[in-house]
Amino acid sequence: MSLDDAVARSAERIVASGRRPRIAVLLGSGWQPFVDRVRSPSRLPYAQLPAFPVLGVAGHAGELILGQVGAHDVVVLAGRKHTYESGDASVMKGVIATLTACGVTTLVQTNAAGSLDAAVRPGELMLISDHLNIVQRSPLIGETGNQRFVDLRDAYDPALRIQARATAERAGVTLHEGVYAWILGPQFETPAEIRMLQRLGAQAVGMSTVPETILARRHGLRVLALSMITNMGCGLEDEALSHSHTLAVAQAAQASAVPLLEAIVGELEG
């Protein structure tokens, strides 16, 4: 089956639900309890959507949820496939294309990330203002035509970031803002790599989000992205890093992170 056919069939399954969401929320590690905030949910496993990948990382359910958050119809993606699983940066290409075909105009992304800034602590949240594609891979490789030359000047929509900051302020939740560096993984960074990323101007580092942002911008979607800080970068403090550690810290942070995400999504305008 061609990608175009897979996207068309996936979009048809979603539209058959009777909902036409304009906001999609992509949940990364630690953000899964957000699905319980969706009202009147209906669920579709990724396995039933031919344009969607098979997931292989703990904490990513592989399920699409349609419902309401605030006054909005939304589609929630419970999990993503990472480039480090296969080396292919375009593994979420069919997903983003399907969202576009369903009428989605805004993509809200979440992830778990390590902090490179002593002022941004584990358990806190960071709004992504820009990114560093350290991997220097693109999900658009293989495309033809001028649409592949995507302008990423405002990859993370300034107006949406203003709205998110205002929502966090009203909720009394600290929301840092900074540059996110994408590294391939799945291994964590070395202390030398952390020092390099700090010198390049990054405040957080992680293994996702950037390919989806590039794909979203290629399709004209507005992007808002939040990082849940789960650890300090390697060498900045005396702690051993592991995926289980990431999930444990994320679980502790969910009490403030998930309600804030619900409020941000529910109050988005435009």
Side-chain angles (χ1 to χ4, degrees):
M1 184 186 303
S2 71
L3 179 62
D4 288 345
D5 287 342
V7 168
R9 292 189 186 185
S10 298
E12 184 179 358
R13 288 294 308 274
I14 295 169
V15 171
S17 70
R19 300 181 188 269
R20 294 302 297 265
R22 298 181 65 81
I23 298 174
V25 184
L26 175 54
L27 301 179
S29 297
W31 293 90
Q32 300 305 307
F34 179 76
V35 300
D36 296 328
R37 303 281 176 144
V38 179
R39 302 194 313 277
S40 304
S42 57
R43 301 169 183 266
L44 282 172
Y46 286 4
Q48 295 180 12
L49 301 167
F52 281 54
V54 176
L55 305 189
V57 177
H60 292 255
E63 188 176 47
L64 181 148
I65 300 95
L66 291 149
Q68 282 191 312
V69 173
H72 302 301
D73 277 344
V74 301
V75 54
V76 178
L77 306 174
R80 59 159 59 87
K81 194 171 184 70
H82 300 76
T83 301
Y84 64 68
E85 296 178 59
S86 65
D88 182 2
S90 68
V91 286
M92 294 291 284
K93 189 172 188 174
V95 174
I96 303 302
T98 299
L99 296 178
T100 305
C102 291
V104 168
T105 58
T106 298
L107 175 64
V108 179
Q109 293 207 65
T110 64
N111 63 44
S115 175
L116 308 178
D117 185 338
V120 184
R121 305 298 303 169
E124 296 182 331
L125 302 175
M126 190 189 88
L127 191 63
I128 298 178
S129 60
D130 206 344
H131 71 235
L132 292 170
N133 185 346
I134 300 299
V135 179
Q136 280 301 289
R137 295 193 188 184
S138 172
L140 306 181
I141 295 295
E143 290 198 12
T144 59
N146 290 338
Q147 286 185 308
R148 59 187 157 158
F149 301 110
V150 178
D151 184 356
L152 293 179
R153 181 185 300 270
D154 289 321
Y156 302 91
D157 192 273
L160 296 181
R161 284 159 41 209
I162 289 171
Q163 293 176 39
R165 289 196 301 269
T167 299
E169 185 174 355
R170 287 192 293 272
V173 177
T174 299
L175 183 58
H176 301 280
E177 189 164 5
V179 175
Y180 173 89
W182 175 42
I183 57 95
L184 182 59
Q187 74 283 349
F188 289 98
E189 310 76 37
T190 68
E193 288 168 338
I194 292 297
R195 294 192 296 271
M196 174 191 72
L197 295 174
Q198 288 177 315
R199 291 187 176 98
L200 290 176
Q203 283 72 50
V205 58
M207 303 175 190
S208 68
T209 303
V210 170
E212 296 98 311
T213 294
I214 294 170
L215 288 165
R217 294 303 302 139
R218 179 255 184 270
H219 286 282
L221 304 185
R222 304 169 73 192
V223 179
L224 180 70
L226 290 164
S227 291
M228 180 189 292
I229 302 302
T230 56
N231 58 274
M232 299 303 294
C234 185
L236 298 182
E237 291 187 356
D238 186 18
E239 62 177 334
L241 303 182
S242 67
H243 189 60
S244 58
H245 171 82
T246 294
L247 294 178
V249 176
Q251 185 174 17
Q254 288 165 358
S256 59
V258 170
L260 179 62
L261 179 60
E262 179 185 18
I264 287 173
V265 172
E267 294 176 14
L268 283 182
E269 300 175 0

